[in-house]
Amino acid sequence: MKTCRFILAIITTILVFASCTTTQLVPIEVLKPGKVTLSANTRNLAFIARNFKYSVDTLGDYYSANYKLRKAPEKQNEGIDSLALQSALSSLQKKLLATGRYDTIVTYPYNTIRPHHAKHILPLSPDFVTKICQESHVEGLVALEMLSYFYSKVAPGIKDDSGESSVKINALWALYLPGKEKPVDHFRYTDELVWDRYDQNGNLDLTKVNPDRKAAIEMAAQIAGEQYARHMGPLWATVNRTLVTPSGDEWKKATQMAQKNQWEEAAAIWNRLASMPDGKEQGVAELDLAVAAEMMDQIDLAVSWASKAVKLLDGKRYGPVAGQYLAVLMVRQQQINGLNQQIK
């Protein structure tokens, strides 16, 4: 009798696990709008460095070594400002062109505006902005208004066995349009970037080398450019979508195909499952079909499938998942419509 009960318990457990529904996350690259809204006709930009520093910024030629302030040799300081400015502008240009939002970007030489210091920074004059835009045949001007940095290093054995390099960086960007009295956008990026020789698990990796002053400043300037590109937008971002997989060979096969990026084949299976006579998992199939449609850049169809799934899954386990996904799709649908007006 005890043996029979034991066997029955095992069979029950197997049946429970066999009927389990699982979820899987699949990544998708989406284009998100930035915080700068420009007309669809603004497809060409000019970049210029203001070569400005605040009067209190007097440490450009200095760095910190083992917590002591030192002046860098003159040879090390030669060209480091131009390297930083060009790195920031080049990084911004690369990121913006990759979005497809802009056709041409004209970058003016580093010394177009001579280096200067002042207590306050004044905006570029409307006449200057118009002149630059006309001669370079662009519709807008991006100015790197100010870029400052300070490098520090700590040798191994002073703080810990790793040693450390860091850069404090401060960048101010502005976007000018012809005919406007003031910039239409301002963006400030301030950060401290730190490099050490620990791996992601916190273990000391003696094969790693912390960057020297020149390399660290160049990398920090590149990140300053990338950050303004993210602000301007649009930008590509990786997000996850949820697939729901009930038990059954067909469901498993469809999910496996989706994970291999075979979305048309997966959608064909989910379509069959959605039209089964019993309709037991129809809502789940329609939810997965919505994900497949989005993956194939059919956002309107994705919204349609998700709307159907929300109705069928109302009050059921995956109802909240369907509702949240529909809300995400509707926001993305509006964003895509807006981006399509800009990227033509």
Side-chain angles (χ1 to χ4, degrees), residues 53-103:
K53 291 187 185 297
Y54 289 104
S55 301
V56 295
D57 186 0
T58 58
L59 297 178
D61 294 339
Y62 292 80
Y63 68 100
S64 172
N66 298 331
Y67 307 109
K68 293 182 180 180
L69 186 65
R70 298 184 180 182
K71 186 172 183 178
E74 186 175 345
K75 188 174 182 180
Q76 289 186 15
N77 286 325
E78 286 181 1
I80 200 162
D81 257 356
S82 63
L83 173 67
L85 292 169
Q86 290 167 6
S87 296
L89 293 173
S90 176
S91 175
L92 175 61
Q93 179 185 40
K94 181 180 179 181
K95 291 293 184 181
L96 291 184
L97 289 176
T99 66
R101 170 65 179 84
Y102 302 98
D103 296 329

Side-chain angles (χ1 to χ4, degrees), residues 12-233:
T12 302
T13 302
I14 292 173
L15 290 173
V16 168
F17 278 100
S19 63
C20 280
T21 297
T22 61
T23 59
Q24 293 78 29
L25 295 178
V26 288
I28 179 175
E29 292 282 323
V30 299
L31 191 61
K32 293 187 174 182
K35 296 182 179 180
V36 178
T37 303
L38 297 172
S39 69
N41 295 327
T42 305
R43 299 198 56 83
N44 306 286
L45 298 173
F47 287 179
I48 196 167
R50 294 283 302 270
N51 264 319
F52 172 86
K53 291 187 185 297
Y54 289 104
S55 301
V56 295
D57 186 0
T58 58
L59 297 178
D61 294 339
Y62 292 80
Y63 68 100
S64 172
N66 298 331
Y67 307 109
K68 293 182 180 180
L69 186 65
R70 298 184 180 182
K71 186 172 183 178
E74 186 175 345
K75 188 174 182 180
Q76 289 186 15
N77 286 325
E78 286 181 1
I80 200 162
D81 257 356
S82 63
L83 173 67
L85 292 169
Q86 290 167 6
S87 296
L89 293 173
S90 176
S91 175
L92 175 61
Q93 179 185 40
K94 181 180 179 181
K95 291 293 184 181
L96 291 184
L97 289 176
T99 66
R101 170 65 179 84
Y102 302 98
D103 296 329
T104 305
I105 293 178
V106 179
T107 302
Y108 276 73
Y110 154 75
N111 58 354
T112 300
I113 299 176
R114 63 178 178 79
H116 58 292
H117 290 70
K119 187 176 180 180
H120 303 289
I121 186 167
L122 299 176
L124 294 171
S125 70
D127 289 343
F128 180 84
V129 173
T130 299
K131 175 179 176 295
I132 291 291
C133 291
Q134 287 179 347
E135 70 182 23
S136 55
H137 305 289
V138 299
E139 296 83 43
L141 174 63
V142 173
L144 179 47
E145 304 277 81
M146 183 277 300
L147 182 70
S148 67
Y149 45 80
F150 185 75
Y151 173 78
S152 300
K153 68 176 182 179
V154 180
I158 302 295
K159 179 180 178 182
D160 55 22
D161 292 332
S162 167
E164 185 178 277
S165 294
S166 65
V167 172
K168 292 181 179 179
I169 190 156
N170 189 7
L172 180 62
W173 298 89
L175 173 61
Y176 296 84
L177 297 179
K180 300 290 185 180
E181 292 293 323
K182 298 179 180 179
V184 297
D185 181 64
H186 270 118
F187 177 75
R188 181 181 293 276
Y189 171 68
T190 302
D191 201 358
E192 181 175 8
L193 309 175
V194 180
W195 296 267
D196 58 34
R197 297 192 295 171
Y198 292 109
D199 62 22
Q200 60 183 4
N201 297 317
N203 300 316
L204 185 62
D205 182 358
L206 296 178
T207 64
K208 293 177 66 176
V209 178
N210 294 330
D212 60 16
R213 179 169 176 258
K214 180 179 178 181
I217 290 172
E218 182 178 13
M219 285 188 281
Q222 289 173 352
I223 293 174
E226 292 172 0
Q227 290 299 314
Y228 190 47
R230 293 178 63 85
H231 172 81
M232 286 188 67

